[in-house]
Amino acid sequence: MDDLLAARLQMAVSLGFHIIFACIGIAMPFLMAASGYRYLRTREPLYKDLTKVWSVGVAIFFAVGAVSGTALSFELGLLWPEFMEHAGAIIGMPFSWEGTAFFLEAIALGLFLYGWDRLPPWIHWSSGVAVGISGVASGIFVVAANGWMNSPAGFDWVDGQAQNIDPVAAMFNDAWFTQALHMTLAAFAATGFAVAGLHAFLLLRHPNNLFHQKALRIALTIGAIAALLQPLSGDLSAKDVAQRQPAKLAALEALYETSQPADLLIGGIPNDETRKVDYAIHLPGMLSFLAHGDFNAKVTGLDAFPRDEWPPVLIVHVAFQIMVACGGIMALMSVLFLVLQWRKSPWLHRRWFLWLLVIISPLGFIAIEAGWTVTEVGRQPWIIYGIMRTADAVSPMPGLVVPFLLFTFLYLLLAFVLVWLMYRQIKTLPDRYASARLTSDDVPNRLDAR
C-alpha cells in the first residue's frame, strides 16, 4: 500500500467513525430537550426520566466525539502538511469558532447534567437547548471549512502561494450553506430514526411499555420532519454542485458524455472503458431538470475534463445511489408515520410497524456515510478544488500504513467501548427508573391522550 492511499484510508476511517458520533451529538440534545419540554408542561415523571436517560446518551457521545475529533485535528496536520501550510491561514477562523462552540457545548452540558433540582426548571431546560444549538453551530463551522475545500474562496492563488486572504469570505464560501443544511438535516433524520428503531426493538420485547412508546414518538417525529425536508435540501445541493463542481455531478450520475437533455439514472454499473452505464434505468430529461430546472438543459459530462481529473466514477455513482435510496425509503416511512400519527392509528404499536422501524433504523447513517463519500471522493483528485491536488498535499514521511492500521484499531476499540456503554445503559434502564417499567395497562386512560 503506497503512502497516499494509506493517508486517504486513514482519513476515511477517522471521518467514517467521527461523522456518526458528531451527527448524534448534534441531534440527540434536541430529543432530550423535547422530552424535557414535555415534562415541564405535563409534570409527568416519565418524561423527566426519559430526559435523564437521553442526557446520559448525549454525554457519552459528546465524550467519544471529542476524542475522535481531537484525533482528526492531529491527522490533518500530520498527514497533509502541505495542505495545512496553505489552508491554515485561510480557513482557521471556522475551526477556531468550532472550538468556541465546543467549549460552550461542554459548559451547557455540564449545567444540564448537574443542574437537576439545583437550577430553576426553565433555566435548566434552556441549558439543554444550548447544548443542541452549540452542537449544531459546531457542525456548521466544520462543514464550512469542508465547503471551502469544494469551493475555495477568500484568497488569490499566485505562484503557488495564497495572497490577499479574506477569512470571512473563505468561511462563507459558495458551498457552506447547502452543505451545512444537508448535513444538519441528515443528522436529525438519521439520529431520530436510529433512536426510534432502538425503542421499537425494545417495544417488540415489551409491547405495552409506556416509556418506549413515548420515546419512539418523540424521536420519530423529529426524524420524520427532517427526512421529509431532506429532498428539498438535496435539490438545492444538486443545483449548486452542477454550477460549482460539474465533474462531481457528472461522476455521481456517471454522465460520460455532455448531453442535452440529460437522463437521470437509477442504479447501474459505470464502465470507464466503454463510457457506458450497464443495467441502469433511464429517466429522460430528469437530470437536466434537477441540475438546471429545465428538462432540455445541457449538462456537462466527464468528456469535458481531462481524464486525470475524473473522480472515481464507480465509487461516487454507487455511493450516490445508496444515499438517495436510503433517503427515499426514510421519506416514505416518514409519510406513513405522520399519517398514522395524525389519525391516531393503533397500527403505530403493531409488530409489523415496529419491525419496519427496526429494519430501517440504520439507513440514516448509511446515507450519511454514502453522502460523505460522494462529497469527498467526488472532489478527487483535488484536496482544494482546482488549486491543489491531494497527491501534492500528502506527508513525505514514509510508512504511513503503520498509523493507518493503528488508528483503525483505536477507532474499532472506541466503537466497542461505546457500544458496551450504551448496552449497559439500556440493560439497566428498568432498575434505575421506575417509569421505564410502566405499561399502558398501568395508565390505560393516558396512553392515547398524549
Side-chain angles (χ1 to χ4, degrees), residues 60-82:
I60 291 174
F61 278 98
F62 177 84
V64 175
V67 172
S68 60
T70 303
L72 264 174
S73 64
F74 281 113
E75 290 176 23
L76 277 174
L78 293 173
L79 297 176
W80 314 103
E82 188 70 15

Side-chain angles (χ1 to χ4, degrees), residues 13 18 82 98 109 142 167 226 232 253 334 357 380 389 402:
V13 169
H18 180 70
E82 188 70 15
E98 190 271 340
L109 182 58
V142 171
L232 302 177
E253 273 300 325
S334 300
L357 274 179
Q380 301 305 317
R389 288 178 178 264
V402 175

Side-chain angles (χ1 to χ4, degrees), residues 23-345:
C23 285
I24 295 174
I26 286 172
M28 196 71 199
F30 287 94
L31 272 65
M32 177 184 78
S35 177
Y37 178 80
R38 292 290 296 169
Y39 168 66
L40 291 176
R41 299 291 294 179
T42 65
R43 292 294 174 180
E44 287 191 39
L46 183 150
Y47 287 114
K48 183 178 183 180
D49 289 346
L50 179 57
T51 305
K52 287 186 174 181
V53 169
W54 279 348
S55 69
V56 173
V58 170
I60 291 174
F61 278 98
F62 177 84
V64 175
V67 172
S68 60
T70 303
L72 264 174
S73 64
F74 281 113
E75 290 176 23
L76 277 174
L78 293 173
L79 297 176
W80 314 103
E82 188 70 15
F83 167 74
M84 291 304 294
E85 177 185 347
H86 296 284
I90 308 172
I91 57 170
M93 190 170 76
F95 282 123
S96 65
W97 286 18
E98 190 271 340
T100 303
F102 174 78
F103 282 119
L104 291 176
E105 185 180 2
I107 293 169
L109 182 58
L111 288 174
F112 191 82
L113 290 175
Y114 296 101
W116 286 102
D117 304 322
R118 295 184 176 90
L119 294 174
W122 284 105
I123 298 295
H124 177 252
W125 177 79
S126 298
S127 68
V129 175
V131 175
I133 292 174
S134 52
V136 169
S138 180
I140 288 174
F141 291 138
V142 171
V143 173
N146 179 264
W148 178 83
M149 296 166 69
N150 288 307
S151 182
F155 67 100
D156 295 322
W157 191 249
V158 181
D159 298 330
Q161 298 292 325
Q163 299 181 4
N164 303 319
I165 294 171
D166 182 349
V168 176
M171 190 173 84
F172 296 106
N173 57 78
D174 290 341
W176 83 271
F177 175 73
T178 53
Q179 281 195 215
L181 178 64
H182 206 54
M183 191 73 249
T184 304
L185 287 174
F188 279 90
T191 304
F193 270 81
V195 174
L198 176 60
H199 287 285
F201 178 76
L202 295 170
L203 275 173
L204 285 167
R205 301 178 62 184
H206 309 285
N208 296 321
N209 186 288
L210 197 57
F211 184 88
H212 297 308
Q213 290 175 358
K214 302 290 188 185
L216 187 150
R217 290 196 184 203
I218 293 174
L220 197 50
T221 299
I222 292 175
I225 293 172
L228 288 175
L229 291 174
Q230 192 65 309
L232 302 177
S233 166
D235 182 61
L236 288 176
S237 295
K239 288 179 169 57
D240 181 57
V241 169
Q243 294 294 326
R244 291 184 300 95
Q245 293 178 291
K248 179 186 287 186
L249 180 76
L252 63 88
E253 273 300 325
L255 184 68
Y256 287 102
E257 308 294 337
T258 301
S259 304
Q260 184 179 10
D263 296 352
L264 182 72
L265 303 186
I266 297 178
I269 302 174
N271 187 325
D272 288 352
E273 298 302 321
T274 62
R275 299 195 173 193
K276 294 182 178 178
V277 182
D278 301 320
Y279 315 114
I281 299 172
H282 291 248
L283 301 180
M286 281 302 295
L287 180 57
S288 295
F289 178 75
L290 292 175
H292 300 292
D294 180 353
F295 285 103
N296 199 40
K298 182 170 75 175
V299 180
T300 304
L302 289 164
D303 60 329
F305 303 92
R307 182 65 182 85
D308 66 348
E309 292 185 8
W310 288 16
V313 180
L314 177 62
I315 295 174
V316 177
H317 178 72
V318 171
F320 180 69
Q321 297 290 317
I322 291 173
M323 179 189 71
V324 172
C326 292
I329 293 171
M330 292 169 66
L332 290 175
M333 187 66 182
S334 300
V335 172
L336 176 62
F337 165 70
L338 292 176
V339 169
L340 294 177
Q341 176 88 331
W342 174 61
R343 300 184 63 178
K344 301 185 186 303
S345 171

